Amino acid sequence: MKIIVPRALRRPIGMIYRFIYRHHRRILKLTRPIIEERKKEKQLSKEHPTEVMIGWLMDAAPDSDEQSVESLAMRLLNVNFVSLHTTTKVFIHALYNLAANPKYIPELRQEAEQVLDKDHPDGWSKEALGRCVKLDSFFKEALRWALSAFRV
């Protein structure tokens, strides 16, 4: 649902909204130094690292209102929420699918024991997890089921 607010009232309503939700103040406190540093880098060198999310958000903001520290911090908060929300959703659906189909547990366990070294925590690397083909397929199927549940 999208709320339509006249342009003249956006700033006061935004201020009220930020007052009510204290996590906005916290994200501002945490990200303000980083955002200000990135803005200085951009002004001085006209180049800034675009491999970080703040760089992407700064490049995507068309006008000066959206380049403010507050606006960039809120955008970063929204991106983080969405990424965590979807990851959690997929993981929960995978757990539900595993509980509903316990016959897959031995195969997934066997693959994990073969590929991942339980004696060395370093064995749980991105490359090692990438070799877990059955686990990857299981999570992809859980994601497919999760997405199909929301289609009409």
Side-chain angles (χ1 to χ4, degrees):
M1 184 171 108
K2 187 174 182 178
I3 299 173
I4 299 174
V5 178
R7 190 178 261 311
L9 295 176
R10 287 183 186 170
R11 185 157 290 181
I13 290 175
M15 292 170 79
I16 293 168
Y17 182 78
R18 282 191 298 271
F19 177 75
I20 293 171
Y21 294 98
R22 295 174 194 254
H23 57 275
H24 290 198
R25 284 193 290 253
R26 184 160 187 231
I27 192 75
L28 278 172
K29 181 181 175 185
L30 294 171
T31 59
R32 183 179 299 277
I34 298 166
I35 293 172
E36 288 175 351
E37 180 183 334
R38 295 282 182 206
K39 288 177 114 180
K40 285 179 188 174
E41 288 174 6
K42 186 177 179 182
Q43 288 175 350
L44 293 176
S45 67
K46 301 295 181 198
E47 292 182 20
H48 60 282
T50 56
E51 68 274 0
V52 293
M53 181 58 68
I54 293 173
W56 294 344
L57 294 173
M58 289 173 74
D59 290 342
D63 60 9
S64 61
D65 282 347
E66 294 179 9
Q67 284 280 341
S68 70
V69 174
E70 291 82 10
S71 178
L72 291 169
M74 292 310 111
R75 287 172 181 239
L76 191 61
L77 183 66
N78 288 334
V79 168
N80 284 337
F81 170 76
V82 169
S83 66
L84 289 173
H85 176 71
T86 54
T87 304
T88 304
K89 188 178 186 180
V90 170
F91 188 73
I92 293 297
H93 277 279
L95 284 178
Y96 286 158
N97 286 343
L98 197 58
N101 301 300
K103 63 184 177 188
Y104 298 126
I105 293 174
E107 284 188 53
L108 294 174
R109 183 185 305 261
Q110 180 185 13
E111 181 184 55
E113 288 174 352
Q114 287 175 353
V115 175
L116 305 172
D117 188 5
K118 62 182 173 186
D119 295 330
H120 297 89
D122 297 342
W124 286 75
S125 65
K126 183 178 179 181
E127 293 79 23
L129 285 172
R131 291 191 303 266
C132 293
V133 178
K134 292 178 183 176
L135 186 64
D136 183 57
S137 297
F138 187 80
F139 272 100
K140 285 180 181 176
E141 186 66 14
L143 177 61
R144 188 181 70 80
W145 275 93
L147 292 175
S148 68
F150 292 101
R151 291 186 187 148
V152 177

